[in-house]
Each structure stands twice: as C-alpha cells, then as structure tokens.
Amino acid sequence: MNLKKIPKKLLLKGGKIFDPTLDKLKKADILIEKNKIAAIGQKIKDNNASIIDCNGLVITHGFCDVHVHFREPGQEDKETLATGSLAALAGGFTRVCAMPNTSPPLDSPEAINFIVDKSTESPIFIHPIGAVTKDQKGKDLTEIQGMIKEGAVAISDDGLPISDAQVMRLALEYTSMFDIPVINHAEDECLRNNGVMNEGDNSIRLGLKGNPSLSESIMIQRDLELANLVNTKIHVPHVSTSEAVSNIKRMKKINPKISAEVTPHHLYFNDQALSNYNTNFKVAPPIRSENDRKALTKGIKDGTIDCVATDHAPHTIEEKEASFDMAPFGMIGLESCFGVINKILDLPINLIIKLITKNPRRIMGFNNNLFEIGSHIELTIVDPNLEWVFNENNIYSKSKNSPFIGETLKGKVLYTLSKGYLADLNTKN
Ligand code: DOR
C-alpha cells in the first residue's frame, strides 16, 4: 500500500459514483480540494489537480465496519490501533467500531477516552464500543453514561455472552435513554458445552466437540423479547444460524429497532471447510451447515440482516498453531471483506455496497451524506469486476489468521480516501 496525504487538488476522473444514501449511480468526475468535495460534474478540468483515472471503477462512501477487534490495550502482539487502521484502509474501510474485549477491557470512561485520544491521529475513524459489565464478568453494569460521553457508540461484552437475562434487561433499559445499541454475543454457554465447531455430522466425523445452533438462536430470541419489552435498540452480531434468522425476521415485525449483522466468513464457508483442522476456521459463533449459510444469504437478500461486519479478530501464529481444541476463536477479515461478499452474494454492486456503507452507518448513527459539496473526504474506489487471489501481501493486519489466503475473490478495493490520507492499493507493498 502506498499511503500518503491527499494532494491539495485531486481529480477523480471518469468513474461511476454510487451514492448509497440516494441509491443513485451516475458517471461523473469529482474534484477534491483541501480534503473536501469541491465539485461533482461532467468533464471537470483543472490543470493544477493530480488525477486518478477512475474509468471502469466505482467511487462510493468509505466502508464502515461495526465489529472489529483491535486488541489495544494489552494485546499489541496481535494488533494495534495503527496496524488495524492499515488493515481497514486495505479493505476500503474508513470507519470501524472497536470491541472492548481488550486487556484490560474497555469498561470505563477512562478506557474509552484512551481509544478516542489515541486514534485521533489514525488515518481512519475508530469508534470504541464500551463493555456492558465491569471486567466483562457479566455481573455489574459499567458506567454506561460516562462511556457514552467519552465517545462509546454502543455497548457489548463481545467475545463473551451476557448470560444473566436480568443484566441484559438492565443494560437495555439503561441504554434506551441514550439511543445506542446493545450488542450481545449470543451463545448460551451451557448449551455451547465448550463446543469448538458446529454440532452436526461434521463434528462427529472430525471428532470435535459440537456447539449446537440452539445455543445461538435461544439467546437471540431471549434478547429480542427483552428489547421488545423495553422498546429499545438492539443489534445482533455475527448471526450464524437459520433459526436465528427466522427469530430476527419475526421479531423485526414487532420491533423495528432491531438490527443484525453477518460476517463474510459465515456467508462464504460451511462446516465442511474444517475437514483439514485449519484453526483459522475456528470462530465464535462457529461456521455452520450449508443450510445455515443459505439462510444467512437469504436473510441478507430479504433485508432481515441489515449489514455485513467482519468480526476482524487477529490472533498470533503461535496461538493459532495450537491444536483445534486449544486454539483461540477468531479470524481477520477487513482486507478480504469486499472481494468475499461481492463474489459470494451474487448481488448487484449497489446492494453489496449498501451492506458495508449506508446500513452499518445508519445502525450507529453516523453521517450518511458523504457526497455533499464541502464534505470531508471519506471515499472508497473499487473495481467491482476484478478477480484476484487473496494472499499474504494483501494483509496489513499484524496477524495473518485468514482462511481466505489462496482464495480467488471478485472485486478489489483500489483506493481508500480517509481523514486526509490516500491509500493506493494498486501497489503490492
Ligand atoms: O471468533 C471470535 N473471536 N468471536 C468473537 O466473538 C471474539 C473474537 C475475538 O475477540 O477473538
């Protein structure tokens, strides 16, 4: 990646502009001046401007990921705010929400302030998510209002479920005053029974302990009932089962404040992929059956699932080299996301883009008018048809735990423009 400051004057020439907010695709040039949109129109000329030839390319909002793990503070051997930002830029993401399961967890206003402060100079926007409970122990609520004041955009104990239904109810009641979502990692720990992969024929064949679909769907149903009781926002992360999709579809009819995400890996793989015991496939919730994968795809297409989020979860090679039972859960996902979903979902490019722009921004209440004259530049330029093989050179994360290495993807991010920076992904390094 070639990362530099956006030139004083930059002309994006000949591209197709897709504005996900207006749902409009049009061919036009964009003139950028002092990091702001100066003009959008046909055949703009400016002899002083640097030019990016965007013929055949689509220019759209910078991508937004509501679910990443950047590991700072405490696990900087896996990822830092700096390396996570580069991974995001490589994937076209200009804005991410960082989960609080750091070490120590982001469970206080001071910890939220640390992330906000430290990411001021980052080339992307990093929004911290505060923990629901102190030390993510699932018992005592954190200082939610104080964390929101410092910049927390949601609360979650992600990585761990909120097992106690009363704690979940209180979290929903408290956040209803601030209009931010509660995000619960829904896995019933008793039913999960220390499972390391989806429970089914494949877990029996591989001799690995299974985690049944019900561990997810039962807790999602509980959470949705609670959110309905309180009449408040809830965001369901990394949906993995067909039963959960049905639950969300049914409950959304009653409570329009429900939103849901799915990861690229749950859309792309099924549990047969685990046959070679590659620990990069070990994630929580687990990669499920083909039937579940198809239900998730259908859920995206009928609007039950609002957005795609990567659950970018870096782990070191040493940890991932452990046996399947012992290795940690998680895979990275920022760099491969666009090529993966654009390939596997087989949807028109405008619908693919909305899943990683307008919809996640709406869920988090971020500005969705990025093509207005005078707007600060937060744009991504993609070639939607380019087929390419994802390899280690495409990874900017500190960790390389991706099962997509070697996979042919469709659609590539070529430029990301964010916070005054221009990331050029045409170059290999
Ligand atoms: O696979 C996962 N890894 N799922 C999670 O929810 C947490 C994440 C992590 O932090 O490693």
Side-chain angles (χ1 to χ4, degrees):
M1 170 191 325
N2 182 359
L3 183 62
K4 55 185 184 201
K5 293 268 181 180
I6 298 177
K8 273 212 174 79
K9 275 190 172 189
L10 177 64
L11 186 55
L12 308 179
K13 205 147 183 54
K16 277 191 197 147
I17 301 174
F18 176 64
D19 184 336
T21 306
L22 303 177
D23 202 6
K24 273 200 181 138
L25 188 70
K26 66 171 179 193
K27 204 163 179 206
D29 302 336
I30 300 179
L31 181 66
I32 298 168
E33 238 181 294
K34 294 190 186 148
N35 298 329
K36 288 184 183 164
I37 295 193
I40 298 180
Q42 305 301 321
K43 306 216 164 91
I44 298 178
K45 275 209 174 122
D46 190 317
N47 292 336
N48 299 321
S50 309
I51 292 176
I52 295 182
D53 178 4
C54 295
N55 252 300
L57 308 182
V58 174
I59 306 167
T60 191
H61 287 183
F63 301 161
C64 171
D65 189 348
V66 299
H67 192 149
V68 302
H69 299 268
F70 276 1
R71 307 298 190 211
E72 205 174 329
Q75 293 181 313
E76 290 84 354
D77 53 334
K78 299 181 190 225
E79 196 77 286
T80 62
L81 298 176
T83 57
S85 297
L86 294 180
L89 286 173
F93 291 90
T94 55
R95 211 169 269 269
V96 301
C97 302
M99 283 294 175
N101 63 335
T102 48
S103 185
L106 308 179
D107 65 354
S108 66
E110 293 74 20
I112 296 297
N113 178 266
F114 167 81
I115 300 294
V116 170
D117 234 34
K118 196 150 185 206
S119 59
T120 328
E121 299 303 319
S122 302
I124 63 156
F125 297 92
I126 301 175
H127 300 275
I129 294 175
V132 177
T133 61
K134 287 186 186 148
D135 210 20
Q136 291 196 283
K137 289 254 165 60
K139 293 247 175 303
D140 306 309
L141 288 186
T142 50
E143 281 180 57
I144 295 170
Q145 183 172 20
M147 293 196 299
I148 295 170
K149 274 193 184 145
E150 292 297 338
V153 290
I155 55 166
S156 177
D157 274 354
D158 189 70
L160 295 168
I162 299 163
S163 294
D164 186 322
Q166 176 64 5
V167 172
M168 184 65 186
R169 177 181 177 168
L170 290 174
L172 288 162
E173 285 189 345
Y174 205 73
T175 52
S176 69
M177 295 192 281
F178 309 105
D179 202 33
I180 62 156
V182 180
I183 306 173
N184 182 28
H185 179 123
E187 284 191 291
D188 182 293
E189 283 181 306
C190 299
L191 282 171
R192 184 167 90 170
N193 196 25
N194 298 322
V196 293
M197 71 170 286
N198 182 45
E199 181 180 286
D201 292 349
N202 284 312
S203 63
I204 295 169
R205 203 163 46 80
L206 297 173
L208 293 172
K209 207 159 187 186
N211 168 351
S213 303
L214 200 59
S215 75
E216 172 176 272
S217 55
I218 213 167
M219 191 176 269
I220 288 181
Q221 185 60 31
R222 178 204 76 173
D223 291 348
L224 298 182
E225 297 278 1
L226 287 169
N228 190 36
L229 177 76
V230 180
N231 186 23
T232 195
K233 264 190 184 172
I234 186 165
H235 176 70
V236 186
H238 43 48
V239 179
S240 72
T241 62
S242 75
E243 293 85 350
V245 176
S246 305
N247 293 351
I248 294 165
K249 189 171 186 170
R250 200 174 51 251
M251 294 302 286
K252 263 190 162 185
K253 290 188 184 132
I254 312 171
N255 177 7
K257 294 176 186 166
I258 295 168
S259 60
E261 76 189 32
V262 64
T263 72
H265 48 273
H266 288 106
L267 288 169
Y268 196 89
F269 296 113
N270 64 34
D271 60 0
Q272 282 175 16
L274 279 67
S275 313
N276 59 3
Y277 298 93
N278 178 350
T279 58
N280 287 335
F281 288 108
K282 184 178 175 185
V283 285
I287 287 164
R288 302 280 185 184
S289 68
E290 179 60 13
N291 181 44
D292 291 308
R293 195 190 70 76
K294 285 189 178 142
L296 296 172
T297 307
K298 194 157 172 279
I300 281 273
K301 292 187 178 175
D302 71 12
T304 303
I305 296 174
D306 301 80
C307 70
V308 167
T310 65
D311 196 1
H312 179 86
H315 292 290
T316 62
I317 293 177
E318 291 75 16
E319 286 171 301
K320 278 294 195 181
E321 271 177 352
S323 68
F324 205 92
D325 282 338
M326 300 304 289
F329 293 94
M331 68 170 78
I332 57 166
L334 283 164
E335 297 97 327
S336 51
C337 175
F338 175 66
V340 167
I341 62 168
N342 188 44
K343 173 181 172 184
I344 203 70
L345 285 174
D346 195 25
L347 282 170
I349 188 66
N350 58 326
L351 297 181
I352 295 287
I353 286 174
K354 278 193 210 169
L355 295 170
I356 43 177
T357 54
K358 180 188 174 191
N359 297 0
R361 280 176 182 271
R362 190 200 63 225
I363 292 165
M364 289 297 172
F366 300 147
N367 173 23
N368 239 327
N369 291 318
L370 302 181
F371 281 115
E372 278 178 1
I373 303 297
S375 295
H376 281 277
I377 294 301
E378 200 182 335
L379 301 177
T380 292
I381 305 177
V382 300
D383 180 340
N385 299 314
L386 188 70
E387 298 203 1
W388 57 295
V389 178
F390 185 69
N391 65 47
E392 282 211 18
N393 288 335
N394 304 116
I395 295 179
Y396 291 86
S397 169
K398 220 173 196 183
S399 300
K400 311 277 178 240
N401 53 312
S402 169
F404 288 106
I405 291 172
E407 214 54 37
T408 301
L409 307 181
K410 186 180 171 208
K412 195 169 190 303
V413 173
L414 298 182
Y415 302 93
T416 310
L417 295 91
S418 167
K419 280 176 85 177
Y421 287 93
L422 168 64
D424 178 346
L425 281 313
N426 285 288
T427 47
K428 274 270 174 262
N429 290 301

